[in-house]
Amino acid sequence: KKHIQKNETIIRLSDIIHEIGLVLDGQAHIYHIDFWGNKQLLAKLKPVIFLESYACALQQEIDLNVVATEITTILFLDISHLIRSCQHSCSFHHKIIQNLLSIVSNKNVLLTQKIHHLTRRTTQEKILSYLNSQALKNNFNFEIPFNRQQLADYLAVERSALSSD
């Protein structure tokens, strides 16, 4: 269990991850920063599991930065203890493995949806694609979970272009 201060970097580019993180309290953001310093917001982490794909990949260098946006408490769990069933074949251990696979699969679906938004040709098409998916997901009653800069980062567009479209 680790307590992290606001704006503290939790995971840095090129770290090798052997643990999954579980945000217990607070919030963090996952960013990708390219060679030229362009920053893209990939996810907002509120009570949620994260880094599971990197941890399961074993010895995979991470290409992201994870930064606390407020005081945050994270529980780190060693993946090697989670993905191997113990010699007693405990039912709860099988449930943990099943839940982890479900989480990885659901995040894969969300990333596929994000790719769908990002592959639109214009800023307006990206915005409409994102809003359409949010509307369908929430029965046309939704609130955008990002501020303008965060939404611009998520859709990989300039904030000024986001605001003008």
Side-chain angles (χ1 to χ4, degrees):
K1 198 175 195 182
K2 186 174 179 183
H3 301 284
I4 295 125
Q5 297 302 311
K6 182 178 180 176
N7 298 323
E8 184 179 340
T9 300
I10 303 162
I11 303 294
R12 284 180 168 52
L13 180 75
S14 78
D15 284 351
I16 295 177
I17 306 302
H18 300 287
E19 301 168 321
I20 63 172
L22 174 58
V23 177
L24 300 175
D25 187 43
Q27 179 177 284
H29 287 174
I30 296 178
Y31 292 102
H32 180 266
I33 302 173
D34 66 19
F35 179 77
W36 298 275
N38 299 314
K39 182 167 71 171
Q40 183 182 13
L41 175 65
L42 299 179
K44 288 174 83 170
L45 304 172
K46 289 190 175 189
V48 69
I49 289 176
F50 67 103
L51 300 176
E52 65 286 340
S53 294
Y54 286 93
C56 288
L58 303 175
Q59 301 300 317
Q60 179 77 28
E61 280 190 13
I62 195 161
D63 59 349
L64 309 167
N65 285 323
V66 181
V67 179
T69 57
E70 56 188 62
I71 296 174
T72 303
T73 304
I74 298 177
L75 177 64
F76 289 99
L77 302 168
D78 188 332
I79 194 68
S80 66
H81 296 300
L82 294 177
I83 62 174
R84 291 188 187 98
S85 197
C86 65
Q87 62 189 14
H88 304 294
S89 293
C90 305
S91 61
F92 69 87
H93 203 146
H94 289 290
K95 188 64 174 171
I96 288 172
I97 294 168
Q98 184 179 21
N99 287 347
L100 183 59
L101 183 58
S102 177
I103 289 166
V104 169
S105 299
N106 286 331
K107 286 189 177 180
N108 187 24
V109 168
L110 290 173
L111 289 172
T112 301
Q113 291 170 348
K114 183 173 180 177
I115 288 169
H116 177 74
H117 305 320
L118 295 179
T119 57
R120 303 298 99 199
R121 294 188 185 274
T122 67
T123 299
Q124 184 177 23
E125 288 174 347
K126 289 177 183 185
I127 295 166
L128 290 174
S129 175
Y130 174 77
L131 292 176
N132 180 63
S133 70
Q134 290 297 305
L136 293 175
K137 184 168 70 175
N138 298 299
N139 295 322
F140 298 95
N141 183 17
F142 66 94
E143 192 172 303
I144 299 170
F146 300 118
N147 65 32
R148 284 187 183 161
Q149 184 60 56
Q150 292 167 346
L151 183 58
D153 290 344
Y154 179 81
L155 294 174
V157 299
E158 292 293 327
R159 192 188 112 159
S160 59
L162 176 75
S163 299
S164 67
D165 284 343

